[in-house]
Amino acid sequence: MAGARALLRHCPLLLPQDRHGTAYEGFVTAQGRDFHIRILLPEDFQLKNARIECSWHLKKILHGYRHILKQRLHSCPDLVSFMVELKTVLEIALKNTPDLHIPRPPEYYSCLVRDLEILGWNKVAYVDTGLTTVKLKAEDSCGRQHLITLKLNAKYPTEPPDCLVDFPVPFAVSWMPQNSLIDIYNQFLAALESLKEFWDALDEIDGKTWVLEPENPTRSATTRRIAIGNNVSVNVEVDPRHPNMLPECYFLGADHAVNPLRTKLNNNMHLWDPEISLLQNLRELLEIDFPSRAVLEKSDFAKDCGICYAYRLDGCAPDQVCDDPRCGQPFHQACLYEWLQGLPTSRQSFNVIFGECPYCNKVRKSKESE
């Protein structure tokens, strides 16, 4: 989770394309210019075996730096580190490379302007001065606003634009040389409707419960950490292709509070009804009412970390709770791990450390933050 936040901070236009974190697609930015890139990681997340796909323009710029990037892939510990290195190399490459901008032929501009006029300027949210980047806006059948960013190369419409959307699933454009922006826009609208039930389910959760994480969810986010009570929450991961099915659920909190919830979920999961909403199903399976936004304030159950005395740490809320019912103090995982590391009485096994709670001395365990 920490790695995903760091990646979002350094490369906000690079979005995960699957829930496992093995595929990323979007744009890497350098000197105010965006370059399309796609990164495919193996199941073991070893960067040295990663596959990187990019636009012809970026490939040409980085051609003389391939050996450096290959070396970085072998030496960087994670994807965030590699992306930072990639941006640094790209900055250097751009400074040392003559302008590779290929002038567009007159037919390019006439074709693009014609397509935009046929599509309708009311659907255009942004066009850059060079007519190479276009953002189109659309509203789905539930009134939600969406954007699609198109990066066009000089061979348009023979070749399709690179497309960036805030979707939880990959968006692949079907393209023929005789196609136009209208065809992309229609495919975009169809994709929006295919995700309607997914967004309906998450919008209901966002509107009727207290979501602890993510704080400001994007349309591509498939998880929600929902408050259940004081220092008790459930993290649900919804399958965007099957949003009416039972999601993956992970409970956070003290054992005495979350164990009964796990038992209820296991005993009642056969009662899941795809004909009713995801939130109503969770209520019935867990036999609870989630704290209502209309009745309670977030401060009623969102408590600060007992070590750093803050609620948010790098955007993350406390997700560890002391198991002693008389204590129940919440902590950030990173704070607790660092605290336990500093105790002379703690013992460690691989990335799990055991030591005493800072408040009640009950033995706790904590994993190193990912």
Side-chain angles (χ1 to χ4, degrees), residues 48 58 63 168 225 308 343:
K48 62 182 179 181
L58 181 58
H63 179 74
R225 181 180 165 196
C308 73
L343 296 179

Side-chain angles (χ1 to χ4, degrees), residues 13-26:
L13 296 182
L14 188 66
L15 301 176
Q17 301 297 305
D18 62 8
R19 72 172 96 177
H20 307 295
T22 58
Y24 293 84
E25 186 169 7

Side-chain angles (χ1 to χ4, degrees), residues 265-314:
L265 179 65
N266 291 332
N267 291 343
N268 295 335
M269 64 172 55
H270 68 282
L271 300 175
W272 186 272
D273 182 0
E275 298 300 318
I276 63 176
S277 75
L278 186 149
L279 182 59
Q280 185 60 33
N281 268 306
L282 288 175
R283 287 193 188 109
E284 295 185 6
L285 265 64
L286 300 177
E287 301 173 11
I288 59 170
D289 283 323
F290 291 98
S292 169
R293 299 178 70 93
V295 178
L296 296 174
E297 295 294 330
K298 198 169 187 177
S299 58
D300 291 333
F301 49 81
K303 306 301 181 184
D304 293 343
C305 170
I307 295 174
C308 73
Y309 303 111
Y311 183 66
R312 292 280 172 193
L313 178 67
D314 293 332

